[in-house]
Amino acid sequence: MNLIEVKGLCKNFPAFQLQNVDLTLEEGYIMGFIGRNGAGKSTTLKTMLNLMNKDGGTVNLCGLSVDTDELTIKNKVGYVFGGVDFYPENKIKKITDVTKIFYDEWDDNRYKELCDRFELDQNKKFKQLSAGMKVKYSLAIAMSHNANLLLLDEPTTGLDPAARDDLICMFQEFIEDGKHSILFSTHITSDLEKCADYITYIKKGKIVASNDKEAFKAGYITVTGKKEQLTPENESKIIGLHKHQLGFEGLMLIDDKSLAESCGFECGVPTLEDIMVHVERR
């Protein structure tokens, strides 16, 4: 079963357009959603949940249409977005007591387990939490009502490396029964290297690639060399070419590997960060 089926999603602003976004994600997988600031990641996620009115397209989550089954969907989906400050003067225990009444399958035991794991003090006011602890609290809420799907916008931002690693382990635990899935956007591509099954890349409101993570990475090679090795022909094939004092670096499509080797370039396997940096430099 597909927990996410988005077809032709559009959202128009005066200076930005989300253009015909398609997303599909089956049960049991994690999809990383990448792109630079302003590319459309947050707009896509919010429009999928009807927090913004879409201007075109269809959105089905957990087998239901957001147009006709929004309330049921929001009981089946956990979501975390940045910039949500709840009630800053209230203790998080009180915020939780109010929040949980909106969910049909709220699980107090699961919530307590997550708070213990995240070391959340229930008697602290929300404004007393650090940026990282606010993210953890939002995640505890999102994961305590038996959601089948998590939609997360920058969930690891503000967390230290140890906390991020713990969160990645938790994501993997969440999907291991094959019935749950996660779509999350992040700039920390090293987190996706550890846990993502699929990568979707958005640029200027358009999906430019969506594939299995290893297939996505296998579509490119990194190239480095000396500036004198560059010619107009091979330079035109290099994505995000960066010339510097010691030579150059860039990215090429895997189909151009023979050309790169014939030119004497050093070829390598790119990371997700390599791909993102060079594609955005293009």
Side-chain angles (χ1 to χ4, degrees), residues 157-177:
T157 298
L159 300 179
D160 60 68
R164 291 203 337 262
D165 189 67
D166 185 41
L167 201 61
I168 294 304
C169 290
M170 187 177 296
F171 290 166
Q172 292 170 323
E173 292 167 12
F174 180 76
I175 66 154
E176 66 184 4
D177 66 355

Side-chain angles (χ1 to χ4, degrees), residues 97-108:
D97 286 342
V98 173
T99 301
K100 70 182 186 180
I101 66 176
F102 293 98
Y103 293 105
D104 295 337
E105 296 187 44
W106 180 266
D107 186 337
D108 277 320

Side-chain angles (χ1 to χ4, degrees), residues 9-21 38-40 43 55 202-206:
L9 184 64
C10 298
K11 178 64 182 175
N12 300 318
F13 298 99
F16 175 81
Q17 289 80 43
L18 199 64
Q19 304 174 58
N20 295 313
V21 167
T43 299
D55 292 313
I202 188 169
K203 183 175 182 179
K204 296 181 180 179
K206 293 182 179 180

Side-chain angles (χ1 to χ4, degrees), residues 236-247:
S236 69
K237 297 286 188 178
I238 300 175
I239 301 166
L241 175 65
H242 174 55
K243 299 177 183 178
H244 49 79
Q245 187 175 1
L246 299 177

Side-chain angles (χ1 to χ4, degrees), residues 71-276:
L71 184 59
T72 304
I73 284 172
K74 287 181 177 176
N75 270 282
K76 294 177 175 288
V77 177
Y79 45 95
V80 174
F81 296 106
V84 177
D85 284 332
F86 292 100
Y87 294 95
E89 295 293 336
N90 283 343
K91 293 180 179 180
I92 62 175
K93 181 182 184 302
K94 185 174 181 180
I95 296 170
T96 302
D97 286 342
V98 173
T99 301
K100 70 182 186 180
I101 66 176
F102 293 98
Y103 293 105
D104 295 337
E105 296 187 44
W106 180 266
D107 186 337
D108 277 320
N109 290 330
R110 175 61 169 159
Y111 175 72
K112 184 180 184 304
E113 174 192 324
L114 289 167
C115 286
D116 289 344
R117 185 166 180 172
F118 291 151
E119 299 181 337
L120 284 165
D121 182 348
Q122 297 295 297
N123 291 310
K124 275 194 173 183
K125 293 182 178 180
F126 188 77
K127 71 176 185 180
Q128 295 176 310
L129 301 180
S130 67
M133 293 305 281
K134 287 179 180 178
V135 171
K136 289 181 178 181
Y137 176 65
S138 296
L139 282 163
I141 294 291
M143 298 178 74
S144 294
H145 58 91
N146 289 314
N148 299 104
L149 172 67
L150 296 182
L151 300 182
L152 311 174
D153 195 6
E154 304 288 346
T156 55
T157 298
L159 300 179
D160 60 68
R164 291 203 337 262
D165 189 67
D166 185 41
L167 201 61
I168 294 304
C169 290
M170 187 177 296
F171 290 166
Q172 292 170 323
E173 292 167 12
F174 180 76
I175 66 154
E176 66 184 4
D177 66 355
K179 297 179 181 179
H180 298 79
S181 294
I182 301 173
L183 170 64
F184 75 95
S185 71
T186 184
H187 289 112
I188 307 173
T189 52
S190 58
D191 290 344
L192 299 181
E193 297 278 6
K194 295 177 183 178
C195 72
D197 301 293
Y198 296 96
I199 298 294
T200 294
Y201 195 124
I202 188 169
K203 183 175 182 179
K204 296 181 180 179
K206 293 182 179 180
I207 302 297
V208 295
S210 188
N211 209 340
D212 169 272
K213 180 181 66 180
E214 296 308 320
F216 178 81
K217 291 166 60 177
Y220 300 92
I221 56 170
T222 58
V223 291
T224 58
K226 299 177 180 179
K227 284 186 278 190
E228 52 265 32
Q229 293 174 298
L230 294 172
T231 66
E233 179 189 4
N234 62 36
E235 189 170 328
S236 69
K237 297 286 188 178
I238 300 175
I239 301 166
L241 175 65
H242 174 55
K243 299 177 183 178
H244 49 79
Q245 187 175 1
L246 299 177
F248 74 89
E249 60 183 20
L251 200 69
M252 293 179 75
L253 297 174
I254 190 67
D255 292 344
D256 294 320
K257 186 175 182 180
S258 295
L259 171 63
E261 291 174 337
S262 69
C263 295
F265 298 165
E266 291 290 330
C267 301
V269 178
T271 63
L272 291 173
E273 183 172 343
D274 291 331
I275 295 171
M276 186 170 172

